[in-house]
């Protein structure tokens, strides 16, 4: 029986950031991270857009707004200190039609309220920044950046191990029981008896939480984000990051152009219901996952309300032409021949029982566990700040 003082479930960027903060603030506490895959950051943390978000989109005062700002500053400092390549390149959010101007204005106001430097620009300035983008008005956000979050994860893991803590891969948590002095954690490699637990299981955070907390007020609904990549001859179409005005009803940003830190340009992601929580291709189906999504009353309510948008996203998923049309609204010169497939990612998005897409980070606390229930984008940018927040919550239990 192994008895670390704190056991962290999940070796994505949030689990690693929690361990990193914990090891700095409470160096005497022993930490073990359990990750079910053979490698770290195999899911959301290794399959995202790699954008260091500045924080313009989020409701002022929300956990997303606060942790994105703090987390971005902490991430830049961490990368500088650890020699990880990152770049503050700026981005544009582009309105292509008059009916988008009100939404553009409200993003601008949110950005300013969150302390983000941003400015309105017209078509002439837009052409200077992004010569191939079309738009009638845009917001320029010079603070936005790019980084490879997998590299961040791997450096965090090195630092955690260097402090003498354990990271065990290929170990799946299968059961969790909270007792008076400790918790019993069952895994595919035996039992653990930690005093405290942090649940950072991403796409499975609700299932892990349900092992000890019932009834759960949320369920994770997996939304796949599919990408294409611009072929080298078309990379000139995007210098940095070109975003559309997002639909304010959803926490997704709309298909956009992202120049990676390595130079390639990704296009996407869309947002379609994934038929398996870790189903990265359209044909992946997991009956348990699909049944859990489709029979969840919260999902049924969303589907009834937004079926038109959902069908549009599905259509864009199956039709490359439809995907290209969405991209052409931002960069008219792009065509299907410029695109090749690129691996997708899946967002863990919490949805409430009454059909609300939870548009903020969310935690659930039980006697010995802090569960990170909802940490979608900008979760990677915010990770170091989320880690601090989780450790502060956990520390209230330290006697
Ligand atoms: C398509 C896409 C684009 C995104 N773009 C951005 C972006 O540009 N910028 C940004 O800031 N954020 C972005 N995000 C969000 C960001 O990637 C996430 O917020 C962040 O990676 C969440 O990290 P995590 O550690 O919570 O989850 P994950 O990285 O998914 O890690 C959870 C881990 O828990 C493990 N696990 C699950 N169940 C168990 C179990 N029972 N036992 C043991 N281990 C278990 C999993 O294997 C996994 O490794 C994007 C996300 C997606 C999907």
């Amino acid at each position: 029986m192994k008895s670390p003082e704190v056991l962290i479930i999940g070796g994505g960027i949030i689990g690693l950031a929690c361990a990193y903060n914990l090891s700095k603030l409470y160096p005497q506490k022993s930490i073990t991270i359990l990750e079910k895959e053979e490698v770290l950051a195999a899911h959301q943390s290794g399959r995202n857009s790699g954008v260091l978000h500045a924080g313009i989109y989020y409701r002022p005062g929300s956990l997303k707004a606060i942790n994105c700002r703090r987390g971005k500053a902490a991430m830049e400092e961490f990368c500088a200190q650890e020699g990880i390549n990152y770049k503050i390149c700026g981005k544009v959010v582009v309105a292509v039609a008059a009916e988008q101007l009100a939404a553009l204005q409200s993003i601008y106001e949110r950005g300013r309220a969150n302390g983000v430097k941003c400015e309105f620009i017209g078509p002439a300035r837009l052409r200077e920044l992004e010569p191939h983008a079309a738009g009638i008005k845009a917001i320029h956000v010079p603070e936005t950046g790019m980084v490879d979050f997998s590299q961040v994860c791997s450096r965090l893991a090195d630092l955690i191990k260097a402090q003498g803590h354990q990271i065990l891969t290929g170990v799946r948590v299968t059961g969790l029981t909270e007792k008076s002095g400790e918790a019993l954690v069952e895994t595919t490699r035996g039992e653990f008896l930690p005093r405290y637990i942090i649940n950072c299981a991403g796409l499975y955070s609700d299932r892990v939480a349900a092992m000890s907390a019932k009834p759960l007020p949320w369920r994770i609904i997996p939304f796949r984000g599919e990408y294409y990549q611009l072929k080298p001859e078309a990379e000139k179409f995007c210098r940095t990051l070109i975003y559309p005005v997002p639909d304010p009803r959803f926490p997704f940003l709309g298909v956009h152009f992202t120049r990676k830190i390595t130079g390639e340009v990704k296009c996407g992601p869309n947002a379609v219901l994934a038929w398996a929580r870790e189903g990265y291709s359209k044909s992946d189906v997991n009956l348990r996952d699909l049944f859990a999504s489709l029979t969840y009353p919260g999902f049924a309510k969303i589907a009834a309300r937004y079926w038109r948008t959902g069908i549009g996203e599905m259509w864009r998923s199956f039709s490359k032409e439809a995907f290209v049309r969405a991209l052409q609204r931002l960069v008219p010169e792009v065509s299907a021949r410029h695109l090749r497939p690129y691996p997708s990612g899946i967002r863990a998005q919490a949805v409430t029982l009454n059909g609300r897409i939870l548009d903020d980070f969310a935690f659930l606390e039980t006697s010995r566990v802090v569960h990170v229930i909802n940490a979608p984008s900008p979760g990677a940018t915010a990770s170091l700040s989320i880690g601090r927040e989780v450790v502060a919550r956990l520390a209230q239990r330290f006697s």
Side-chain angles (χ1 to χ4, degrees), residues 76-86 151 155:
E76 283 176 42
E77 199 183 316
F78 179 80
C79 291
Q81 173 193 309
E82 298 301 327
I84 296 170
N85 194 14
Y86 77 99
Q151 270 190 28
R155 190 72 194 118

PDB file of all heavy atoms in Angstrom, residues 76-86 151 155:
ATOM      1  N   GLU A  76       4.424  32.898 -19.043  1.00  0.00           N
ATOM      2  CA  GLU A  76       5.524  33.584 -19.741  1.00  0.00           C
ATOM      3  C   GLU A  76       6.787  33.570 -18.882  1.00  0.00           C
ATOM      4  O   GLU A  76       7.887  33.313 -19.378  1.00  0.00           O
ATOM      5  CB  GLU A  76       5.125  35.029 -20.044  1.00  0.00           C
ATOM      6  CG  GLU A  76       4.179  35.128 -21.219  1.00  0.00           C
ATOM      7  CD  GLU A  76       3.722  36.564 -21.456  1.00  0.00           C
ATOM      8  OE1 GLU A  76       4.550  37.490 -21.376  1.00  0.00           O
ATOM      9  OE2 GLU A  76       2.526  36.744 -21.703  1.00  0.00           O
ATOM     10  N   GLU A  77       6.597  33.818 -17.583  1.00  0.00           N
ATOM     11  CA  GLU A  77       7.751  33.833 -16.676  1.00  0.00           C
ATOM     12  C   GLU A  77       8.387  32.438 -16.617  1.00  0.00           C
ATOM     13  O   GLU A  77       9.607  32.285 -16.676  1.00  0.00           O
ATOM     14  CB  GLU A  77       7.251  34.248 -15.293  1.00  0.00           C
ATOM     15  CG  GLU A  77       8.339  34.744 -14.378  1.00  0.00           C
ATOM     16  CD  GLU A  77       7.773  35.062 -12.998  1.00  0.00           C
ATOM     17  OE1 GLU A  77       6.704  35.691 -12.903  1.00  0.00           O
ATOM     18  OE2 GLU A  77       8.407  34.627 -12.011  1.00  0.00           O
ATOM     19  N   PHE A  78       7.511  31.424 -16.537  1.00  0.00           N
ATOM     20  CA  PHE A  78       8.000  30.035 -16.455  1.00  0.00           C
ATOM     21  C   PHE A  78       8.797  29.683 -17.723  1.00  0.00           C
ATOM     22  O   PHE A  78       9.891  29.115 -17.658  1.00  0.00           O
ATOM     23  CB  PHE A  78       6.808  29.077 -16.272  1.00  0.00           C
ATOM     24  CG  PHE A  78       7.188  27.634 -16.202  1.00  0.00           C
ATOM     25  CD1 PHE A  78       7.671  27.087 -15.016  1.00  0.00           C
ATOM     26  CD2 PHE A  78       7.079  26.805 -17.318  1.00  0.00           C
ATOM     27  CE1 PHE A  78       8.039  25.742 -14.942  1.00  0.00           C
ATOM     28  CE2 PHE A  78       7.441  25.465 -17.252  1.00  0.00           C
ATOM     29  CZ  PHE A  78       7.920  24.933 -16.060  1.00  0.00           C
ATOM     30  N   CYS A  79       8.225  30.023 -18.878  1.00  0.00           N
ATOM     31  CA  CYS A  79       8.892  29.678 -20.144  1.00  0.00           C
ATOM     32  C   CYS A  79      10.228  30.403 -20.255  1.00  0.00           C
ATOM     33  O   CYS A  79      11.232  29.816 -20.686  1.00  0.00           O
ATOM     34  CB  CYS A  79       7.996  30.027 -21.335  1.00  0.00           C
ATOM     35  SG  CYS A  79       6.550  28.975 -21.452  1.00  0.00           S
ATOM     36  N   ALA A  80      10.236  31.679 -19.857  1.00  0.00           N
ATOM     37  CA  ALA A  80      11.489  32.447 -19.934  1.00  0.00           C
ATOM     38  C   ALA A  80      12.538  31.804 -19.020  1.00  0.00           C
ATOM     39  O   ALA A  80      13.694  31.588 -19.408  1.00  0.00           O
ATOM     40  CB  ALA A  80      11.234  33.893 -19.546  1.00  0.00           C
ATOM     41  N   GLN A  81      12.107  31.465 -17.823  1.00  0.00           N
ATOM     42  CA  GLN A  81      13.021  30.889 -16.822  1.00  0.00           C
ATOM     43  C   GLN A  81      13.541  29.514 -17.246  1.00  0.00           C
ATOM     44  O   GLN A  81      14.690  29.165 -17.025  1.00  0.00           O
ATOM     45  CB  GLN A  81      12.216  30.800 -15.526  1.00  0.00           C
ATOM     46  CG  GLN A  81      12.800  30.109 -14.344  1.00  0.00           C
ATOM     47  CD  GLN A  81      11.670  29.880 -13.312  1.00  0.00           C
ATOM     48  OE1 GLN A  81      10.946  30.801 -12.959  1.00  0.00           O
ATOM     49  NE2 GLN A  81      11.507  28.644 -12.868  1.00  0.00           N
ATOM     50  N   GLU A  82      12.683  28.730 -17.909  1.00  0.00           N
ATOM     51  CA  GLU A  82      13.054  27.354 -18.247  1.00  0.00           C
ATOM     52  C   GLU A  82      13.566  27.195 -19.677  1.00  0.00           C
ATOM     53  O   GLU A  82      13.765  26.079 -20.158  1.00  0.00           O
ATOM     54  CB  GLU A  82      11.845  26.420 -18.031  1.00  0.00           C
ATOM     55  CG  GLU A  82      11.360  26.360 -16.592  1.00  0.00           C
ATOM     56  CD  GLU A  82      12.440  25.874 -15.616  1.00  0.00           C
ATOM     57  OE1 GLU A  82      13.269  25.037 -16.010  1.00  0.00           O
ATOM     58  OE2 GLU A  82      12.457  26.366 -14.467  1.00  0.00           O
ATOM     59  N   GLY A  83      13.671  28.309 -20.386  1.00  0.00           N
ATOM     60  CA  GLY A  83      14.188  28.247 -21.755  1.00  0.00           C
ATOM     61  C   GLY A  83      13.232  27.573 -22.738  1.00  0.00           C
ATOM     62  O   GLY A  83      13.666  26.922 -23.691  1.00  0.00           O
ATOM     63  N   ILE A  84      11.914  27.699 -22.498  1.00  0.00           N
ATOM     64  CA  ILE A  84      10.920  27.138 -23.435  1.00  0.00           C
ATOM     65  C   ILE A  84      10.541  28.239 -24.431  1.00  0.00           C
ATOM     66  O   ILE A  84      10.233  29.369 -24.047  1.00  0.00           O
ATOM     67  CB  ILE A  84       9.670  26.638 -22.676  1.00  0.00           C
ATOM     68  CG1 ILE A  84      10.054  25.482 -21.760  1.00  0.00           C
ATOM     69  CG2 ILE A  84       8.563  26.220 -23.653  1.00  0.00           C
ATOM     70  CD1 ILE A  84       8.983  25.065 -20.782  1.00  0.00           C
ATOM     71  N   ASN A  85      10.572  27.854 -25.709  1.00  0.00           N
ATOM     72  CA  ASN A  85      10.301  28.824 -26.760  1.00  0.00           C
ATOM     73  C   ASN A  85       8.840  29.272 -26.731  1.00  0.00           C
ATOM     74  O   ASN A  85       7.940  28.445 -26.799  1.00  0.00           O
ATOM     75  CB  ASN A  85      10.612  28.150 -28.109  1.00  0.00           C
ATOM     76  CG  ASN A  85      10.693  29.137 -29.229  1.00  0.00           C
ATOM     77  OD1 ASN A  85      10.782  30.347 -28.988  1.00  0.00           O
ATOM     78  ND2 ASN A  85      10.652  28.640 -30.451  1.00  0.00           N
ATOM     79  N   TYR A  86       8.596  30.572 -26.610  1.00  0.00           N
ATOM     80  CA  TYR A  86       7.235  31.106 -26.757  1.00  0.00           C
ATOM     81  C   TYR A  86       7.352  32.454 -27.451  1.00  0.00           C
ATOM     82  O   TYR A  86       8.437  33.024 -27.511  1.00  0.00           O
ATOM     83  CB  TYR A  86       6.535  31.235 -25.392  1.00  0.00           C
ATOM     84  CG  TYR A  86       6.974  32.416 -24.555  1.00  0.00           C
ATOM     85  CD1 TYR A  86       6.224  33.587 -24.525  1.00  0.00           C
ATOM     86  CD2 TYR A  86       8.159  32.370 -23.820  1.00  0.00           C
ATOM     87  CE1 TYR A  86       6.639  34.688 -23.779  1.00  0.00           C
ATOM     88  CE2 TYR A  86       8.581  33.464 -23.083  1.00  0.00           C
ATOM     89  CZ  TYR A  86       7.823  34.622 -23.058  1.00  0.00           C
ATOM     90  OH  TYR A  86       8.244  35.706 -22.335  1.00  0.00           O
ATOM     91  N   GLN A 151       5.521  20.863 -24.415  1.00  0.00           N
ATOM     92  CA  GLN A 151       6.879  21.139 -23.894  1.00  0.00           C
ATOM     93  C   GLN A 151       6.801  21.654 -22.459  1.00  0.00           C
ATOM     94  O   GLN A 151       7.631  21.303 -21.625  1.00  0.00           O
ATOM     95  CB  GLN A 151       7.545  22.207 -24.753  1.00  0.00           C
ATOM     96  CG  GLN A 151       8.325  21.641 -25.907  1.00  0.00           C
ATOM     97  CD  GLN A 151       9.155  22.744 -26.575  1.00  0.00           C
ATOM     98  OE1 GLN A 151       9.550  23.719 -25.954  1.00  0.00           O
ATOM     99  NE2 GLN A 151       9.390  22.556 -27.858  1.00  0.00           N
ATOM    100  N   ARG A 155       8.536  19.844 -19.158  1.00  0.00           N
ATOM    101  CA  ARG A 155       9.448  20.537 -18.227  1.00  0.00           C
ATOM    102  C   ARG A 155       8.888  20.515 -16.801  1.00  0.00           C
ATOM    103  O   ARG A 155       9.623  20.313 -15.830  1.00  0.00           O
ATOM    104  CB  ARG A 155       9.638  21.988 -18.707  1.00  0.00           C
ATOM    105  CG  ARG A 155      10.717  22.721 -17.990  1.00  0.00           C
ATOM    106  CD  ARG A 155      12.106  22.211 -18.397  1.00  0.00           C
ATOM    107  NE  ARG A 155      13.132  22.689 -17.465  1.00  0.00           N
ATOM    108  CZ  ARG A 155      13.890  21.907 -16.701  1.00  0.00           C
ATOM    109  NH1 ARG A 155      13.773  20.598 -16.758  1.00  0.00           N
ATOM    110  NH2 ARG A 155      14.781  22.417 -15.894  1.00  0.00           N
TER     111      ARG A 155
END
